[in-house]
């Protein structure tokens, strides 16, 4: 496939019934998708595996590095089936939530949280269906039954999600279903695993130890969608590999008017710590049905780009919408235009704190400074661990960032990171030869031309494969 897309901000598209066939997946990649999200809240392992194999096939056939992310359901609470699919509500009605499955009606409704009656307190609010229904806890028997008053809401429909922003939910971050899904995910080479409803850094540690026990190299995305995660945001960013601003649940778990500032705060902190950050949910929501986005959606996507997000995500738009490919084309156009804003670049150009890697980081930081000073065409990095790619990207250079590695899986992982363009390379002779060689490859594929200034980072001596310790400027002859 022609690599014509040099945009910095990446597009992550959720796969569902509208897109889980080979030709649509390929159409989405051609339209600008950089990574796919498989949502384990829906679908079977067989269906997910089929999509996974299609994406692997596309990567092979078209020499792309499309990243694959598995999104675990986590402790998402839901009501059970309701008689006839839904029941009408009116203000002041009293509903009874029970913890044993039953067909819901005015008598009782199943809610999938065993300890609800123990953990909830009178006076706490319960939100159903993304906050479209608001309930107030009036009474709990402390074992299996809770009475709630309807504050507002027209209908309660089957299997709608329940949020308890004021309740200390005692469920673990990895449910039994998540553990079964994780088993499947770790048997395959998923690049990223997103953990829903993260509350503390321990949630991430737990997932990390399970990933390591299976010798998988999958990286972790912490989904920020609980008030507790906001309280622990610095510790969570320190320990995770990446972050998602999961605006769907977050928007009902915290007062909705806080969303814009929280998005900006989280994106800013992630860039400073060189952790990729995804902005998710309802970015192009109206395109689930319509062929064009609303003005507000156009501006939302552009603002996420200007905030500095690594990735913008599509959910229902590509999973179950009528125009999956059109949505990506529109999003791609919005990104392209927003990236003309000069204020996006170099805004974070300050060296990171002194850490174990501060010597290699000095190379990454200065590669961006020099690239800016000499108006270079690109920054080229060779990586094994991905460190150089994450660090160079975090300084948000205007130059292209070309990353070479012999590790195809790592390249696919890095494809989710702001500005990174990946190339497979497995010849290691000497540093001088390798620099010449990768420059020739980029020139041959039309990425560089005579007179272009190039910044190379690397490690000398090459055969020791140590951390990045070298920076070189050259001009393409
Ligand atoms: N693999 C799938 N199989 C079937 N339907 C899917 C699949 N993935 C997504 N969907 C549908 O697309 C919708 C939007 O997808 P998305 O992944 O954003 O779900 P979500 O907002 O996380 O949903 P939920 O809150 O139900 O987990 C879902 O509500 C679902 O109806
Ligand atoms: C993506 C997701 O989980 C949310 O927005 O809540
Ligand atoms: K999910
Ligand atoms: Mg969510």
């Amino acid at each position: 496939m022609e690599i014509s897309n040099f945009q910095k901000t990446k597009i992550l598209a959720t796969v569902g019934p509208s897109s889980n066939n080979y030709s649509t997946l390929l159409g989405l990649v051609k339209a600008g998708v950089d990574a796919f999200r498989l949502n384990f809240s829906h679908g079977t392992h067989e269906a997910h595996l089929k999509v996974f194999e299609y994406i692997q096939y596309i990567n092979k056939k078209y020499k792309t590095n499309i990243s694959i992310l598995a999104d675990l359901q986590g402790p998402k609470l839901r009501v059970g089936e309701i008689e006839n699919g839904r029941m009408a509500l009116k203000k002041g009605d009293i509903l009874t939530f029970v913890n044993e499955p039953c067909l819901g009606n005015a008598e009782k409704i199943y809610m999938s949280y065993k300890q609800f009656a123990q953990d909830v307190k009178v006076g706490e609010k319960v939100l159903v269906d993304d906050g479209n229904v608001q309930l107030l806890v009036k009474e709990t028997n402390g074992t299996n039954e809770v009475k709630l008053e309807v504050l507002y809401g027209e209908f309660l429909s089957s299997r709608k999600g329940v949020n308890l922003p004021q309740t200390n939910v005692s469920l673990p971050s990895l449910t039994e279903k998540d553990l079964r899904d994780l088993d499947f995910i770790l048997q395959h080479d998923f690049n990223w695993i997103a953990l829903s409803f993260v509350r503390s850094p321990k949630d991430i540690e737990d997932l990390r130890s399970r990933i390591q026990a299976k010798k998988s190299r999958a990286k972790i995305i912490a989904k920020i969608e609980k008030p507790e995660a906001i309280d622990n945001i610095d510790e969570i960013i320190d320990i995770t590999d990446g972050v998602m601003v999961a605006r769907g649940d977050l928007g009902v778990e915290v007062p909705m008017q806080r969303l814009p500032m929280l998005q900006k705060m989280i994106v800013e902190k992630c860039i400073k710590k060189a952790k990729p950050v995804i902005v998710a949910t309802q970015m192009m929501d109206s395109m689930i049905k319509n062929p064009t986005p609303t003005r507000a959606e156009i501006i939302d996507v552009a603002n996420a780009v200007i905030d500095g997000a690594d990735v913008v995500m599509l959910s229902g738009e590509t999973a179950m919408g009528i125009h999956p490919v059109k949505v990506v084309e529109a999003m791609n156009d919005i990104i392209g235009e927003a990236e003309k804003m000069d204020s996006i670049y170099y805004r974070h150009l300050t060296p990171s704190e002194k850490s174990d890697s501060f010597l290699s980081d000095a190379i990454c930081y200065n590669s961006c400074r020099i690239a800016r000073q000499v108006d270079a065409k690109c920054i080229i990095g060779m990586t094994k661990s991905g460190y150089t790619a994450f660090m160079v990207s975090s300084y948000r250079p205007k130059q292209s960032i070309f990353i070479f590695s012999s590790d195809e899986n790592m390249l696919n992982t890095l494809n989710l990171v702001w500005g990174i363009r990946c190339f497979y390379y497995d010849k290691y002779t000497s540093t001088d030869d390798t620099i010449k060689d990768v420059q020739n490859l980029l020139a041959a594929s039309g990425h560089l031309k005579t007179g272009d200034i190039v910044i190379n980072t690397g490690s000398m001596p090459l055969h020791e494969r140590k951390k990045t310790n070298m920076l070189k400027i050259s001009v393409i002859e």
Side-chain angles (χ1 to χ4, degrees), residues 176-302:
E176 276 170 32
K177 173 184 158 51
D178 294 329
L179 293 177
R180 286 195 302 275
D181 291 340
L182 190 58
D183 245 359
F184 168 83
I185 291 161
L186 294 178
Q187 277 168 34
H188 301 93
D189 261 342
F190 281 82
N191 304 105
W192 297 89
I193 302 177
L195 185 59
S196 296
F197 301 104
V198 167
R199 284 160 290 178
S200 79
K202 278 207 180 60
D203 299 334
I204 312 282
E205 277 169 12
D206 179 28
L207 175 58
R208 173 116 36 225
S209 65
R210 289 170 194 276
I211 292 173
Q212 282 170 349
K214 290 282 166 67
K215 304 223 178 326
S216 161
R217 291 181 305 154
K219 290 196 181 286
I220 300 175
I221 298 282
K223 290 175 69 181
I224 309 302
E225 48 188 346
K226 291 289 287 175
E228 294 95 316
I230 303 289
D231 294 342
N232 297 324
I233 193 71
D234 290 316
E235 295 78 9
I236 290 171
I237 295 173
D238 278 337
I239 200 164
T240 186
D241 303 307
V243 166
M244 184 193 294
V245 187
R247 306 186 305 182
D249 285 289
L250 186 59
V252 286
E253 294 274 349
V254 304
M256 49 112 191
Q257 64 273 22
R258 289 186 61 200
L259 278 186
M261 303 323 149
L262 288 175
Q263 172 175 318
K264 285 175 198 296
M265 179 272 283
I266 296 167
V267 169
E268 177 89 18
K269 282 181 185 289
C270 286
I271 299 174
K272 283 199 177 126
K273 295 262 168 80
K275 303 289 169 91
V277 54
I278 304 165
V279 171
T281 306
Q282 291 185 342
M283 299 214 84
M284 304 279 273
D285 203 57
S286 71
M287 282 192 81
I288 290 177
K289 293 203 179 94
N290 300 336
T292 55
T294 66
R295 308 303 176 261
E297 287 162 352
I298 297 166
I299 293 170
D300 181 38
V301 172

Side-chain angles (χ1 to χ4, degrees), residues 354-366:
K354 209 163 176 176
S355 69
D356 290 351
S357 307
F358 85 108
L359 293 179
S360 344
D361 180 45
I363 300 287
C364 297
Y365 162 70
N366 282 292

Side-chain angles (χ1 to χ4, degrees), residues 91-385:
K91 188 171 167 12
D93 281 354
I94 298 291
L95 304 179
T96 305
F97 279 10
V98 297
N99 66 0
E100 290 292 338
C102 64
L103 192 59
N105 55 30
E107 301 277 288
K108 54 180 185 172
I109 294 154
Y110 170 58
M111 208 274 277
S112 65
Y113 176 16
K114 266 272 177 259
Q115 294 88 29
F116 183 46
Q118 277 105 297
D119 293 349
V120 82
K121 291 190 186 64
V122 172
E124 287 178 350
K125 286 202 175 120
V126 174
L127 302 169
V128 192
D129 188 12
D130 285 344
N132 286 317
V133 174
Q134 194 174 110
L135 310 171
L136 181 72
V137 177
K138 296 300 279 185
E139 200 182 313
T140 169
N141 72 357
T143 52
N144 60 358
E145 212 178 271
V146 177
K147 296 217 182 284
L148 308 113
E149 180 187 332
V150 176
L151 296 182
Y152 60 74
E154 271 186 279
F155 293 102
L156 185 63
S157 308
S158 291
R159 299 199 31 79
K160 285 296 178 197
V162 175
N163 293 88
L164 306 172
Q166 301 176 327
T167 312
N168 231 325
V169 176
S170 65
L171 292 169
S173 271
L174 290 165
T175 64
E176 276 170 32
K177 173 184 158 51
D178 294 329
L179 293 177
R180 286 195 302 275
D181 291 340
L182 190 58
D183 245 359
F184 168 83
I185 291 161
L186 294 178
Q187 277 168 34
H188 301 93
D189 261 342
F190 281 82
N191 304 105
W192 297 89
I193 302 177
L195 185 59
S196 296
F197 301 104
V198 167
R199 284 160 290 178
S200 79
K202 278 207 180 60
D203 299 334
I204 312 282
E205 277 169 12
D206 179 28
L207 175 58
R208 173 116 36 225
S209 65
R210 289 170 194 276
I211 292 173
Q212 282 170 349
K214 290 282 166 67
K215 304 223 178 326
S216 161
R217 291 181 305 154
K219 290 196 181 286
I220 300 175
I221 298 282
K223 290 175 69 181
I224 309 302
E225 48 188 346
K226 291 289 287 175
E228 294 95 316
I230 303 289
D231 294 342
N232 297 324
I233 193 71
D234 290 316
E235 295 78 9
I236 290 171
I237 295 173
D238 278 337
I239 200 164
T240 186
D241 303 307
V243 166
M244 184 193 294
V245 187
R247 306 186 305 182
D249 285 289
L250 186 59
V252 286
E253 294 274 349
V254 304
M256 49 112 191
Q257 64 273 22
R258 289 186 61 200
L259 278 186
M261 303 323 149
L262 288 175
Q263 172 175 318
K264 285 175 198 296
M265 179 272 283
I266 296 167
V267 169
E268 177 89 18
K269 282 181 185 289
C270 286
I271 299 174
K272 283 199 177 126
K273 295 262 168 80
K275 303 289 169 91
V277 54
I278 304 165
V279 171
T281 306
Q282 291 185 342
M283 299 214 84
M284 304 279 273
D285 203 57
S286 71
M287 282 192 81
I288 290 177
K289 293 203 179 94
N290 300 336
T292 55
T294 66
R295 308 303 176 261
E297 287 162 352
I298 297 166
I299 293 170
D300 181 38
V301 172
N303 274 329
V305 171
I306 294 165
D307 285 347
D310 288 73
V311 187
V312 283
M313 189 174 106
L314 295 163
S315 323
E317 299 92 331
T318 46
M320 59 168 193
I322 309 174
H323 313 286
V325 174
K326 265 205 171 84
V327 182
V328 174
E329 286 167 352
M331 193 173 224
N332 208 53
D333 289 345
I334 299 166
I335 292 171
E337 203 58 35
E339 289 183 354
K340 291 181 184 165
M341 287 274 296
D342 255 338
S343 66
I344 300 172
Y345 307 100
Y346 310 112
R347 195 164 64 200
H348 302 274
L349 198 48
T350 43
S352 64
E353 288 157 28
K354 209 163 176 176
S355 69
D356 290 351
S357 307
F358 85 108
L359 293 179
S360 344
D361 180 45
I363 300 287
C364 297
Y365 162 70
N366 282 292
S367 73
C368 294
R369 283 193 52 183
I370 293 173
R372 181 187 198 179
Q373 184 187 351
V374 303
D375 194 20
K377 188 73 198 293
C378 67
I379 299 165
I380 302 175
M382 321 286 295
T383 196
K384 209 162 130 248
S385 66

